Amino acid sequence: MTRLVDLSHSVGDGTVTYKGLPAPRICDFWTREGSAEHYDDGSSFQIGRIDMVANTGTYLDTPFHRYADGDDLGRVGIERCAGLNGILVRSGEMAVDANLFESLDVRGKAVLVHTGWSRHWGSETYFEDHPFLTEAAARLLANGGAALVGIDSYNIDDTRTRMRPVHTILLGARTLIVEHMTNLDALPERGFRFTAAPPKIQGMGTFPVRAFAEIV
């Protein structure tokens, strides 16, 4: 039997994902009470409205996020972000270095990095001194042909600096990125498929996803 594991954070009105970016605002565009007058059989419907930046909740970065000529959400094929064979790597270090990936065959796979940092989601601790990948790790994964790299942390880069080498290297190699994941402790190191499919939107490089794993 296949078991599904949800790897996304929940997002509500006012949820802060990235410090300095506005939180989403969620409300009714069409209320149940207001819609009832349009129907004669007692039907009523709610249509919601959300105002948010793309980097909200658990989200996927495409090359367009970093490169103006890179693939945006509308150009990333579904085969690049759905049903990928997965590898889980566990790390207790702040700087997740290349040595953890050297023996792995990552070509065409989703490589997920479990740091445990998602336990701080919703607190001020989440935003500071978080785990990240080193430039060497990013280069190894890109050169190895990883299809996607995900992490359960605030950012895949070290935000203490004003440089973003991991985004630059991975997205430059057309390797997709998923950040702000959760529940990675529920996954085995092998034997699962990973999906993080965003809407097919042109002109945007990032969007929230419902990331999940199928343990087979």
Side-chain angles (χ1 to χ4, degrees):
M1 295 289 292
T2 299
R3 180 164 66 91
L4 299 178
V5 180
D6 191 349
L7 304 174
S8 289
H9 287 291
S10 292
V11 172
D13 182 63
T15 298
V16 176
T17 299
Y18 202 93
K19 200 167 187 178
L21 295 181
R25 294 303 173 197
I26 303 170
C27 61
D28 290 339
F29 176 76
W30 199 5
T31 65
R32 299 186 190 282
E33 295 77 15
S35 71
E37 65 184 52
H38 297 282
Y39 306 102
D40 296 326
D41 61 355
S43 296
S44 65
F45 300 92
Q46 185 264 5
I47 296 178
R49 179 171 183 166
I50 182 167
D51 179 7
M52 69 176 190
V53 296
N55 296 54
T56 296
T58 303
Y59 54 76
L60 177 121
D61 290 339
T62 69
F64 187 74
H65 178 51
R66 173 65 178 80
Y67 297 98
D69 61 348
D71 291 342
D72 62 14
L73 294 164
R75 290 167 57 194
V76 170
I78 196 72
E79 72 282 352
R80 292 173 61 187
C81 57
L84 300 172
N85 289 326
I87 297 175
L88 183 75
V89 174
R90 304 185 194 277
S91 173
E93 302 297 325
M94 184 177 181
V96 182
D97 211 351
N99 63 295
L100 291 181
F101 309 99
E102 287 174 347
S103 64
L104 303 178
D105 176 13
V106 301
R107 186 164 300 280
K109 296 182 175 67
V111 181
L112 308 184
V113 182
H114 173 223
T115 69
W117 199 251
S118 63
R119 68 187 182 275
H120 298 300
W121 174 262
S123 74
E124 285 295 314
T125 301
Y126 187 71
F127 307 125
E128 308 292 339
D129 298 327
H130 59 87
F132 59 89
L133 264 62
T134 65
E135 181 176 347
R139 202 168 299 283
L140 186 150
L141 291 166
N143 291 341
L148 180 151
V149 180
I151 192 168
D152 59 346
S153 186
Y154 179 61
N155 199 300
I156 204 166
D157 265 300
D158 183 359
T159 58
R160 297 173 301 174
T161 76
R162 291 169 57 88
M163 298 180 292
R164 298 293 183 266
V166 178
H167 280 85
T168 297
I169 292 167
L170 292 180
L171 297 178
R174 302 180 73 245
T175 301
L176 304 177
I177 297 172
V178 179
E179 294 170 307
H180 307 285
M181 302 183 70
T182 190
N183 209 26
L184 291 181
D185 57 319
L187 297 185
E189 293 183 357
R190 306 288 188 281
F192 66 91
R193 292 189 296 268
F194 178 71
T195 295
K200 197 173 182 179
I201 301 174
Q202 298 176 2
M204 293 184 71
T206 298
F207 208 80
V209 293
R210 187 66 177 266
F212 64 92
E214 302 170 83
I215 300 177
V216 296

